[in-house]
Amino acid sequence: MDSTTQLTIRRTGTTTPARTSGSPAPPGSHEITHSGAHVYDPDRPAGSLHLRAARVLEGNWTGTSTVPSHGLYPHQWSWDSAFIAIGLRHLSPLRAQTELETLLGAQWGDGRIPHIVFNPSVPLDAYFPSPDFWRSSTAGRAAGAPRTVQTSGIVQPPVHALAAWLVHQADPGLSRSRSFLSRMYPRLAAWHRYLLHRRDLGGGGLASVVHPWEQGMDNSPCWDAPLSRVTPAAPRSFRRADLDHGSAEDRPTDLDYGRYVRLATDYRDGGYADGAGEFAVEDPAFNALLIASEHALAAIAQELGAAGTARHARAERLTAALVERLWDPAEGMFFCRDVYGGDGGDGESYGGDARDGDARDGGRSGALSSERRSLESGALASERRSSESGAHGSERGSRSGTLAPEQHSAESGAHASERRSRQSGAHASEQRSRAGALIPERSVAGLLPLILPALPRDIAATLVRTAGGPHFGLGGVARLAPSYDLTGHAFDPHRYWRGPAWFNTNWLLERGLRLHGEHGRAEELRAALLETADTSGFAEYVDPYTGEACGALGFSWTAALTLDLLHEPARADQADRSDQSTHVVSHPGHRAFDKAQGTPPHTSHASHTPHTPHTPHSSFETGAKGGDRG
């Protein structure tokens, strides 16, 4: 029996060890006897989509984490691992937990989760920028970079708390027996604090990215204007390894790559201190994922015995800030804000009009004047500091009977680091324009706030119309939502993040549509995703019109999110309205199987303490319509 079959076979006993093939127990953990480590899965044909997706993940597994693809991306990537864990939970909840534990084991002292954790067995010339470029253990010493693990110094979108919560839900008994959430919570809380304080470079409450690679959509046209201020590194000062695995016509240009290298070099040489570089952008997708993860972190806090109320309130304040800073009612979507951009006057205008596909007047972005926005940004920041100070104290007190002393110690150190970093970041931020300018490019990132439960109903409805309109063509001319405006001046159906469709962004859109009551559209998108994954060989990304495979094949997050969609009882969501207040959209695979077979759901035999039920607050926890929020 091969390892993939072992990973996907149906288990019926209660004495099977939790460890899957090739999955060692993380340091400090103990092996347990628990059947939930494997998915309860019906018999499937040898060539089924489910089994082929599982084989991709098995093939990309290293023993402690999963690479996106062995050729182009031979290390562990941050947001890739979060999406991968969401899919792995349907095969092995233990392996999904290990994926996240490995990543968070490389967290820096200031709270940041690096975007790459390097595998020391991979040759340095296999990927650029390599560990000797980032020099994390030396250049990042002041920021608390780990000494024994080499990482990059930048970050990626914060999907991690959301992934941790979904992984816990896949097998709560296993999770509790291993203290998975109680070990993850302090690290995830420190990660969010880093983003909310060190990265609030615009002063309006939102996190900024300081490099295009941090947002995840590396080569988006959204970065062209802010990158134009950056002097590129000399062409001979670096060697691109990505062109060994992909066509130059589909990858970023040498000029753009030179600017990426310059930004990263300056960040490194500045000791990875935030707020001093030339690039700072507030991105709607990055912040929407932070907000969704705040809701998930609230659920985790509740599971551990805390109230979680302060985190839900913070998520709702961040949603309001997202609308205030990045929503453009005239264009019907969210836009990125260049924190240091603008015309030097009111900090709002790049000039032109977005509707002609080239540029637009950022001053139309909201009903409030620039002056009023600036004043309210200061008020939001003041309110946030005051409320979070009380919230941290409240949550620490409520958890005191649940979390271990070493976790309190870790949180105490994180708070001290947070205070130092907030003072440093605030000083740098004050030297810059706080208003900035909206960037006149339509990206799929501007649709992803659909995943937020507190998004105003009229904005959600407008986003749905925009997604189906001429710029994104969802449900019409486009098979999947493109990464960039179909009518935009920079659109290219094959060039990296400048037009192709990606599985993770469309997976998020599918959940957002379902959350806001668009079940028919969500089901159409789900079917298109599964068909495209099947026909493209689990491609990294595809032509949005034809579904033609682009980039790497056998890509891990494509396979993982395919598994999640296969296990999602979408039609049950639409048929069963009586239990929507507690219905989980992304069901663990074994529960879906148990329901289909008419057998009782699996119950863990591991002992655990009672937990406090939580009220669903996001599209990943409830199937309720947006209109059901009241």
Side-chain angles (χ1 to χ4, degrees), residues 251-531:
R251 302 292 298 175
T253 66
D254 286 341
L255 176 61
D256 284 336
Y257 218 91
R259 287 171 168 150
Y260 302 154
V261 172
R262 171 66 67 190
L263 277 176
T265 300
D266 290 348
Y267 194 38
R268 176 199 68 198
D269 293 347
Y272 296 108
D274 295 308
E278 298 180 83
F279 185 99
V281 174
E282 295 171 354
D283 174 76
F286 190 100
N287 281 281
L289 288 168
L290 174 59
I291 296 166
S293 283
E294 269 292 301
H295 283 304
L297 207 53
I300 293 172
Q302 287 182 281
E303 164 69 22
L304 297 175
T309 307
R311 291 202 175 275
H312 283 310
R314 183 178 304 125
E316 291 178 0
R317 288 196 303 275
L318 287 169
T319 302
L322 184 74
V323 172
E324 173 61 31
R325 297 278 291 176
L326 306 183
W327 173 247
D328 188 327
E331 301 300 335
M333 65 180 299
F334 290 86
F335 288 87
C336 295
R337 180 175 290 275
D338 181 359
V339 173
Y340 304 155
D343 59 7
D346 63 6
E348 275 293 321
S349 178
Y350 263 116
D353 190 328
R355 286 170 290 193
D356 63 16
D358 290 313
R360 77 182 202 354
D361 175 8
R364 286 201 323 272
S365 64
L368 299 178
S369 66
S370 176
E371 177 184 9
R372 182 177 171 191
R373 276 192 296 273
S374 178
L375 289 172
E376 291 202 355
S377 293
L380 279 171
S382 174
E383 174 195 354
R384 193 180 64 256
R385 285 191 295 269
S386 173
S387 61
E388 286 181 350
S389 175
H392 286 312
S394 172
E395 288 203 20
R396 282 198 305 272
S398 61
R399 291 198 310 272
S400 61
T402 305
L403 302 184
E406 60 268 23
Q407 291 161 344
H408 286 296
S409 175
E411 287 200 287
S412 175
H415 279 294
S417 173
E418 169 202 324
R419 286 194 299 273
R420 290 191 297 269
S421 64
R422 186 166 62 238
Q423 291 168 0
S424 171
H427 177 73
S429 174
E430 286 170 1
Q431 311 306 314
R432 303 284 190 161
S433 163
R434 285 182 174 268
L438 293 183
I439 298 172
E441 301 290 358
R442 296 181 182 88
S443 161
V444 69
L447 304 178
L448 295 187
L450 267 177
I451 65 174
L452 302 178
L455 197 66
R457 191 175 308 173
D458 60 329
I459 290 180
T462 301
L463 283 176
V464 171
R465 288 195 298 271
T466 300
H471 298 293
F472 295 95
L474 190 61
V477 297
R479 178 177 296 196
L480 300 176
S483 51
Y484 175 68
D485 183 358
L486 294 171
T487 69
H489 67 101
F491 175 77
D492 185 327
H494 290 175
R495 191 178 286 275
Y496 206 63
W497 289 110
R498 298 178 84 85
W502 293 71
F503 285 83
N504 63 330
T505 55
N506 278 271
W507 178 85
L508 290 165
L509 277 176
E510 193 266 355
R511 262 105 185 118
L513 289 168
R514 200 174 299 282
L515 168 66
H516 292 285
E518 296 287 342
H519 296 287
R521 293 176 191 266
E523 182 58 26
E524 288 178 6
L525 180 53
R526 175 178 177 269
L529 279 164
L530 292 174
E531 179 186 3

Side-chain angles (χ1 to χ4, degrees), residues 209-223:
V209 295
V210 299
H211 194 290
W213 291 339
E214 291 196 317
Q215 192 266 359
M217 304 178 192
D218 305 10
N219 195 37
S220 170
C222 294
W223 319 135

